[in-house]
Amino acid sequence: MCLAIPAKIESLDALASTAIVNLNNIRKEVSTLLLDEVTVGDYVLVHVGYALERIDPVEAARTLAMFDDMQALGDTE
Amino acid sequence: MKYVDEFRDGDKARQIAELIQSEVRPDHQYRLMEFCGGHTHAIFRFGLVDLMPENIQFIHGPGCPVCVLPAGRIEAVIKLLENSDNLILCTYADLMRVPAGKRDSLHKAKARGADIRMIYSSTDALNIARNNPGQQVFFFAIGFETTTPPTAAAIKIAHHEKLKNFSVFCNHVETPPAMAHILSSGETQLDGILGPSHVSTIIGSHAYAECCKQYSTPFVIAGFEPLDILQSTLMLVRQINEGRFEVENQYCRAVKTDGNKKAQTLMSEIFEQRPLFEWRGLGELANSAIQIKNRFSDFDAEKRFAMEHIEVADIKGCICPAVLRGVSNPDECKLFGTVCTPEDPKGACMVSSEGACAAYYSYGRYRTEVEVVNS
């Protein structure tokens, strides 16, 4: 039920609070009612036709860097 | 897919697993509950159980909305459908095959002629109402806090448009009270909790602070991808080893401490706490669910249709309630994989792809048999 998929915003309709997102090359209209600020190019988590939250690219990169650090640590052992 | 593929890297997964292996204390049993069915599913699908040392055990939690919905709520809807000729029922697909009373289900009710539409979004239910003004559109709303804001939005839009033929059967439940119940019951000893990913995008990581403190239990909010789960497991192992109990947030790319304020405001505008709600397996829990506020009662299906409360017993032998409390594993059930399969489910945990029984059946049912062959 709580599955939410990261999708990139391709266009916005501010008046209708909707966006067209690209989900692995499938385009779909979703509601952006739950978000204050979204811009084209943002990645959002899509759940039952709604964008729930923006994905923070900086935090995502930081998490991925932590995986690399763990790998480096594992290699030295 | 960006933000998916890079969190599924097999080599990195093995490296994190090695770190976990090297940090666990051999004399300690780590019993970690993954609250969400989404985690259970990922743990089995990506074979994470096999990467874990023997003394780490994943205990599956009740975080599958379809699984915890009492069968009586579905039975009540089927009864309503049978007694009305202008009702369109809109439901998420997950609910269609959940067993109601006497082996009935919404799927079977549809086969008998009821107008049941599987929808992807609450927006679809609104469109069906707009396009069918002569019929009553009944939206069977279920889900945790992740799915609640879209239902709240639909009610708000219906109110704004003064839609006369749209109502919502609210079955939305809340995660922190269920966690508190499991931790307070003491039925299952737990050393740490992998906290919900997408529920937490809405309610924020701070929502678990009280629970964590009260029961001195480590929490890590964990993303749903395999590397997220492994890193979160490592974070839990470290908290346990160091004797800490905090709410840590591994899924910081999507979860903020305070969550999504706009969604919270919308939810509190439409909904209020329900004093008591029954969960399959956990029983009646106080303040664990929500109901539609009086101001929006025109859209409350329970009031509009004076829906009755129906008790439905689980089928004999089904241990779904114990599985949902983390007390039993699916393969301990006599019905598992024989009488009860995803094709012909007898218990709710076999229906939903997030149910623990479905995860065991889809990805785990040959694990023990392979061991026998090899030995």
Side-chain angles (χ1 to χ4, degrees):
Chain A
M1 258 323 280
C2 289
L3 183 74
I5 301 167
K8 190 178 181 178
I9 294 186
E10 290 199 336
S11 64
L12 282 165
D13 181 343
L15 207 64
S17 294
T18 57
I20 301 293
V21 296
N22 183 331
L23 284 155
N24 214 14
N25 290 327
I26 296 165
R27 280 169 188 81
K28 184 149 183 66
E29 186 182 279
V30 301
S31 168
T32 55
L33 264 180
L34 303 177
L35 296 176
D36 273 325
E37 285 172 40
V38 274
T39 46
V40 170
D42 280 351
Y43 274 81
V44 289
L45 283 167
V46 173
H47 172 71
V48 299
Y50 279 75
L52 289 187
E53 188 56 274
R54 272 181 76 243
I55 296 178
D56 184 332
V58 177
E59 290 291 354
R62 197 174 294 166
T63 304
L64 286 170
M66 282 168 80
F67 297 148
D68 289 331
D69 288 347
M70 287 176 182
Q71 201 163 7
L73 209 65
D75 287 341
T76 56
E77 280 169 359
Chain B
M1 257 171 97
K2 193 169 164 69
Y3 297 125
V4 173
D5 296 338
E6 58 270 54
F7 292 90
R8 294 184 178 178
D9 184 299
D11 290 334
K12 285 181 186 164
R14 275 181 284 274
Q15 295 282 356
I16 304 172
E18 274 175 33
L19 259 183
I20 294 172
Q21 292 267 9
S22 70
E23 292 197 21
V24 289
R25 292 194 191 138
D27 58 343
H28 191 84
Q29 284 294 322
Y30 297 80
R31 290 174 56 87
L32 313 179
M33 174 175 273
E34 82 278 4
F35 184 86
C36 294
H39 284 134
T40 308
H41 183 81
I43 285 167
F44 278 90
R45 180 177 172 202
F46 296 103
L48 304 186
V49 181
D50 299 313
L51 289 175
M52 289 297 109
E54 272 181 17
N55 52 345
I56 288 189
Q57 197 183 345
F58 289 116
I59 315 284
H60 322 304
C64 160
V66 170
C67 306
V68 296
L69 183 74
R73 301 285 284 183
I74 302 169
E75 187 68 20
V77 172
I78 293 176
K79 275 246 164 79
L80 181 68
L81 281 165
E82 282 170 353
N83 295 322
S84 53
D85 51 10
N86 75 333
L87 199 72
I88 300 174
L89 174 73
C90 294
T91 174
Y92 295 126
D94 312 47
L95 269 175
M96 287 299 286
R97 294 189 312 125
V98 178
K102 299 193 185 78
R103 304 196 173 184
D104 206 357
S105 66
L106 291 174
H107 192 70
K108 289 178 183 169
K110 186 175 167 72
R112 291 195 298 269
D115 191 347
I116 301 178
R117 320 262 178 107
M118 279 184 272
I119 55 164
Y120 163 67
S121 171
S122 61
T123 313
D124 301 335
L126 283 176
N127 282 334
I128 292 170
R130 290 179 190 121
N131 296 335
N132 297 275
Q135 286 178 287
Q136 283 295 324
V137 172
F138 177 109
F139 175 40
F140 198 151
I142 61 160
F144 287 105
E145 294 92 330
T146 325
T147 321
T148 308
T151 304
I155 293 175
K156 191 169 177 175
I157 294 166
H159 181 255
H160 178 73
E161 292 182 17
K162 298 188 174 62
L163 276 179
K164 297 282 179 221
N165 64 330
F166 176 78
S167 60
V168 173
F169 183 40
C170 179
N171 293 278
H172 288 295
V173 286
E174 298 180 317
T175 42
M179 268 176 204
H181 174 79
I182 285 177
L183 288 167
S184 69
S185 77
E187 226 183 346
T188 314
Q189 188 243 319
L190 297 173
D191 298 296
I193 291 192
L194 288 166
S197 333
H198 296 139
V199 162
S200 307
T201 62
I202 303 297
I203 64 174
S205 57
H206 79 111
Y208 313 98
E210 206 184 304
C211 207
C212 163
K213 195 174 158 198
Q214 190 175 354
Y215 301 103
S216 311
T217 303
F219 266 73
V220 175
I221 310 300
F224 275 143
E225 296 303 330
L227 294 190
D228 290 323
I229 296 173
L230 288 168
Q231 188 185 30
S232 302
T233 303
L234 179 64
M235 288 162 81
L236 276 179
V237 165
R238 286 176 178 169
Q239 279 204 47
I240 295 163
N241 286 352
E242 292 161 20
R244 288 183 289 127
F245 49 91
E246 298 162 18
V247 178
E248 291 181 300
N249 181 10
Q250 182 275 337
Y251 196 39
C252 41
R253 64 186 182 277
V255 173
K256 294 184 279 225
T257 311
D258 295 333
N260 181 335
K261 289 278 188 193
K262 199 173 178 192
Q264 291 167 19
T265 306
L266 177 64
M267 288 194 293
S268 57
E269 185 185 342
I270 308 290
F271 297 112
E272 63 189 7
Q273 200 98 54
R274 197 189 276 261
L276 213 57
F277 194 73
E278 188 193 344
W279 294 54
R280 188 198 302 253
L282 308 188
E284 287 200 320
L285 303 184
N287 301 322
S288 66
I290 52 169
Q291 61 191 14
I292 299 167
K293 279 185 175 170
N294 257 335
R295 192 179 151 217
F296 299 97
S297 60
D298 287 352
F299 303 97
D300 190 339
E302 274 178 90
K303 288 180 180 152
R304 181 177 292 194
F305 299 102
M307 295 184 65
E308 49 184 320
H309 176 80
I310 300 174
E311 292 278 346
V312 173
D314 281 316
I315 85 152
K316 217 178 153 194
C318 170
I319 64 163
C320 273
V323 170
L324 288 166
R325 294 198 302 277
V327 176
S328 298
N329 272 332
D331 52 6
E332 292 166 36
C333 180
K334 280 187 287 194
L335 312 183
F336 176 80
T338 53
V339 179
C340 184
T341 61
E343 288 73 34
D344 188 15
K346 298 291 182 278
C349 305
M350 188 60 97
V351 180
S352 169
S353 59
E354 289 174 343
C357 298
Y360 267 65
Y361 188 86
S362 302
Y363 307 111
R365 71 187 191 277
Y366 297 121
R367 292 178 66 235
T368 43
E369 288 167 32
V370 169
E371 279 164 27
V372 172
V373 172
N374 288 347
S375 59

